[in-house]
Amino acid sequence: MYQYNDFDKDFLAERNRQFRAQVERRIAGNLTEDEFKPLRLMNGLYLQLHAYMLRVAIPYGTLKSAQMDTLALLAEKWDKGYGHFTTRQNIQYNWPKLTDVPDMLDALGEVGMHAIQTSGNTIRNVTADHFAGAAADELEDPRPLAELIRQWSTDHPEFQFMGRKFKIAVSAAKQDRAVLKAHDLAVRIVQNDTGETGYQIIVGGGLGRTPMIGKILHDFLPREDLLPYIEATVSVWNQVGRRDNKYKARIKITVHETGLDEFRALVDARYVTIRPTFTGVDQELLAEIKEHFAAPAFRNAPTEAFDAEYEKNAIFRSWVDTNLSEHRASGYSIVTVSLKKQGATPGDATADQMRVLAQIARDYGHDELRISHEQNVILPHVHKSDLPAVYAALRAAELHTANIGLVSDIIACPGMDYCALATARSIPVAQQIATRFDELKIEHDIGHLQIKISGCINACGHHHVGHIGILGLDRAGVENYQITLGGDATWDAAIGQRAGPGFAYDEIVPAIERLISGYLELRESPEETFIEAYRRLGLAPFKAYLYPEAQANAA
């Protein structure tokens, strides 16, 4: 991964020194909260429902073991012993004291990490496919490109005070594991008919109050034109986007109101002006960055030990079948470590668990870890001969749950337990659903099913693109949960359809149980997934299971 040079280290040290002084002024009363707010947001510090929250950037979800150890240190020394991994490939600390935050930032700086642009109306943490550099279906590793965009966007003078935040994702795989079409802008590395590699640009995606699927702005952009084209796109939106209403300020609204063709014309015109200012230095920098992302020295070793354990150990076999993915190198696997043990808070990891993961990566994973937008941890490069030992270490740390892609692998925002914006609880609903289906012992029979839960309309839990989406709202002071069906976070992205009236807090888990029981009756075969059955049958038959009383009255 990218290594900070002297400029980066000096820049970060000075940035942290400035923020330490700002914190001291706030504590002394020389800054009001209104004056302090924009300063703390520039450094990833929020004021949540009960305490401050520090959001740390994990660029394109990539970590070294030493960095994971530092994240554990922050959790143990300055928080309550755990951290929360988010859908933006970040980590959040929910209980830091304001006086400790400068020390936390200094500790992060020592291992090349920071919290810059994890908040505010600027370009946020650039995300990527969490299997990047390892996936068998990948054209090339997209992380050098993500790093180039990160460096270009960090403290970019034109884009620090925009109308709203701006989120960018990058991928180079056939399968979309980065939710590209739900981003303000996405870059997909592709090849044209002649075999030339370039970029497809997607713009105007986003969830929240007005969910929209991104549209193709440019079908094939040459490599050397990428940064000026992105800058032209963000610059146009920054100039013509709405600022009179924050709910209509995102680029998705600008593209919708302006029209894709007209927006493209504006970008093209701006690009003509910007392009001459890019003299090729960005391509030289990209070439240097790529050197830092060289593939590890994959080893050629026998896999008989893995094969034998797979045959004799049914529990190990279940974990392998559920949590492993195909690697591009022979003899290797990609391991997804679930942070969704049934009954646990989705995305939470204790300091001890982070250290275990760091050590496993050192011992068996070429010193690399990834964080997925699905709130799990990835060991991208594990040789099959090491998998029995990896599984044993994960099991000892209670990180061996075999549920990736199943009912209990739920994405959930922090909800009203932490967030000042939330209107309902998310975490307890996720915990209860996972626990219930664990009791029923039918998760593997149900098969691939993505449930996503948000505690407010801002959709941090991505409920709009869940096969089953759950949105918690406030109805006259009472929590009410709406269900959407048919959402999709892949290349065939779709916004889920609202099923009908919402459910009370004590009704939502039974409603989900009825819905999934209905799916098991409706599917044509055990191989037909929930989303496939929904696309074949439509909303009506599933709605009948959700609202049996309405069905009975209609009859």
Side-chain angles (χ1 to χ4, degrees):
M1 62 180 293
Y2 180 75
Q3 303 294 319
Y4 278 16
N5 58 28
D6 289 341
F7 172 85
D8 298 318
K9 294 173 183 176
D10 292 344
F11 168 84
L12 197 54
E14 174 60 18
R15 175 83 172 229
N16 291 347
R17 186 197 65 76
Q18 290 177 6
F19 187 60
R20 184 180 291 275
Q22 293 162 359
V23 169
E24 291 171 353
R25 291 165 62 200
R26 173 70 185 112
I27 293 171
N30 298 324
L31 286 176
T32 67
E33 175 54 34
D34 286 343
E35 291 169 330
F36 182 58
K37 181 178 179 180
L39 302 176
R40 63 172 167 79
L41 288 177
M42 289 179 186
N43 292 279
L45 188 63
Y46 286 76
L47 186 57
Q48 293 281 71
L49 190 61
H50 306 293
Y52 283 103
M53 179 270 282
L54 178 65
R55 179 182 293 152
V56 176
I58 304 175
Y60 34 90
T62 295
L63 289 169
K64 290 286 190 182
S65 297
Q67 293 174 315
M68 183 67 95
D69 279 335
T70 296
L71 297 183
L73 172 69
L74 264 64
E76 189 172 69
K77 186 173 182 179
W78 293 297
D79 207 278
K80 292 190 175 184
Y82 68 94
H84 177 74
F85 292 102
T86 78
T87 55
R88 290 292 303 160
Q89 296 179 310
N90 296 313
I91 186 171
Q92 295 182 176
Y93 297 95
N94 291 307
W95 303 100
K97 295 178 182 178
L98 179 58
T99 51
D100 291 335
V101 173
D103 290 336
M104 297 172 77
L105 295 178
D106 282 345
L108 289 168
E110 291 176 4
V111 291
M113 299 186 73
H114 59 72
I116 298 170
Q117 293 182 201
T118 60
S119 58
N121 293 336
T122 185
I123 296 175
R124 297 290 185 90
N125 182 34
V126 179
T127 60
D129 179 358
H130 45 264
F131 291 171
D137 66 337
E138 186 175 75
L139 191 62
E140 64 181 53
D141 188 343
R143 292 176 303 154
L145 184 61
E147 172 62 24
L148 178 70
I149 296 171
R150 184 192 71 82
Q151 292 191 33
W152 160 81
S153 63
T154 300
D155 267 6
H156 192 299
E158 186 179 347
F159 304 139
Q160 293 305 301
F161 299 97
M162 299 188 292
R164 286 288 274 127
K165 56 191 173 184
F166 197 90
K167 299 177 180 180
I168 299 175
V170 180
S171 180
K174 293 180 181 178
Q175 182 180 344
D176 180 8
R177 289 176 290 265
V179 203
L180 295 178
K181 289 187 176 180
H183 282 78
D184 296 289
L185 185 143
V187 181
R188 187 187 187 200
I189 302 175
V190 295
Q191 282 185 337
N192 61 16
D193 294 338
T194 64
E196 181 186 5
T197 301
Y199 308 114
Q200 187 179 74
I201 308 300
I202 301 162
V203 72
L207 305 178
R209 187 177 297 267
T210 311
M212 291 186 180
I213 299 299
K215 303 174 179 64
I216 295 176
L217 183 65
H218 201 298
D219 200 54
F220 188 85
L221 192 70
R223 285 184 183 272
E224 63 273 14
D225 295 337
L226 180 66
L227 271 194
Y229 193 83
I230 293 178
E231 182 161 314
T233 303
V234 183
S235 181
V236 165
W237 165 67
N238 195 30
Q239 292 174 12
V240 306
R242 299 277 295 269
R243 290 180 183 257
D244 60 323
N245 184 335
K246 70 176 184 178
Y247 300 119
K248 296 183 178 181
R250 297 291 291 269
I251 193 172
K252 60 187 177 184
I253 302 297
T254 304
V255 172
H256 176 72
E257 293 184 342
T258 307
L260 181 63
D261 291 340
E262 176 60 24
F263 184 81
R264 183 184 293 114
L266 293 172
V267 171
D268 289 345
R270 179 67 175 148
Y271 171 80
V272 170
T273 302
I274 288 176
R275 184 65 184 89
T277 67
F278 283 77
T279 60
V281 174
D282 57 314
Q283 293 303 298
E284 295 173 8
L285 178 58
L286 180 59
E288 294 176 11
I289 290 172
K290 285 183 176 181
E291 295 179 3
H292 295 285
F293 288 85
F298 297 128
R299 58 191 176 91
N300 184 13
T303 62
E304 285 82 356
F306 164 77
D307 297 333
E309 187 70 12
Y310 185 83
E311 285 298 320
K312 72 179 183 181
N313 188 337
I315 297 176
F316 175 72
R317 182 164 60 250
S318 175
W319 175 77
V320 167
D321 291 344
T322 307
N323 289 40
L324 267 57
S325 300
E326 184 181 2
H327 197 282
R328 66 184 178 88
S330 176
Y332 275 77
S333 289
I334 302 170
V335 177
T336 300
V337 180
S338 173
L339 297 184
K340 316 284 182 60
K341 179 183 177 182
Q342 289 86 355
T345 301
D348 278 10
T350 67
D352 288 342
Q353 288 175 326
M354 291 185 218
R355 289 195 180 96
V356 167
L357 289 165
Q359 193 60 47
I360 292 174
R362 282 192 191 93
D363 293 341
Y364 307 110
H366 295 277
D367 199 30
E368 286 194 39
L369 304 107
R370 309 283 166 73
I371 308 302
S372 74
H373 81 272
E374 295 166 335
Q375 299 175 290
N376 293 313
V377 178
I378 315 298
L379 298 164
H381 312 296
V382 179
H383 194 274
K384 289 183 178 180
S385 62
D386 292 325
L387 284 171
V390 168
Y391 178 74
L394 292 173
R395 188 180 181 89
E398 297 188 354
L399 290 168
H400 64 296
T401 306
N403 67 342
I404 298 303
L406 303 182
V407 169
S408 60
D409 186 15
I410 298 171
I411 289 178
C413 73
M416 205 163 58
D417 289 298
Y418 297 99
C419 183
L421 300 176
T423 50
R425 289 170 289 176
S426 298
I427 293 171
V429 175
Q431 291 170 322
Q432 291 169 33
I433 291 172
T435 300
R436 178 56 181 154
F437 283 94
D438 185 46
E439 293 169 348
L440 294 172
K441 304 301 179 187
I442 58 173
E443 270 199 286
H444 287 269
D445 183 37
I446 294 167
H448 183 58
L449 175 55
Q450 295 183 330
I451 298 178
K452 306 186 181 190
I453 306 173
S454 300
C456 80
I457 203 164
N458 289 309
C460 294
H462 292 190
H463 69 275
H464 292 296
V465 290
H467 300 158
I468 299 174
I470 302 174
L471 169 61
L473 297 170
D474 181 309
R475 290 285 185 261
V478 177
E479 290 169 297
N480 183 271
Y481 294 86
Q482 292 180 358
I483 292 177
T484 55
L485 300 176
D488 191 346
T490 70
W491 188 243
D492 297 320
I495 302 299
Q497 184 176 1
R498 182 180 170 186
F503 296 87
Y505 176 78
D506 59 355
E507 296 174 340
I508 185 62
V509 176
I512 297 298
E513 185 177 342
R514 289 195 306 273
L515 176 64
I516 295 177
S517 296
Y519 152 66
L520 293 177
E521 294 180 10
L522 291 167
R523 66 184 182 183
E524 286 186 322
S525 71
E527 287 70 39
E528 185 177 45
T529 64
F530 181 92
I531 188 64
E532 289 169 346
Y534 181 83
R535 288 171 176 166
R536 175 173 59 86
L537 297 168
L539 175 63
F542 293 91
K543 187 172 182 178
Y545 284 96
L546 271 178
Y547 306 100
E549 292 183 3
Q551 187 76 5
N553 293 335

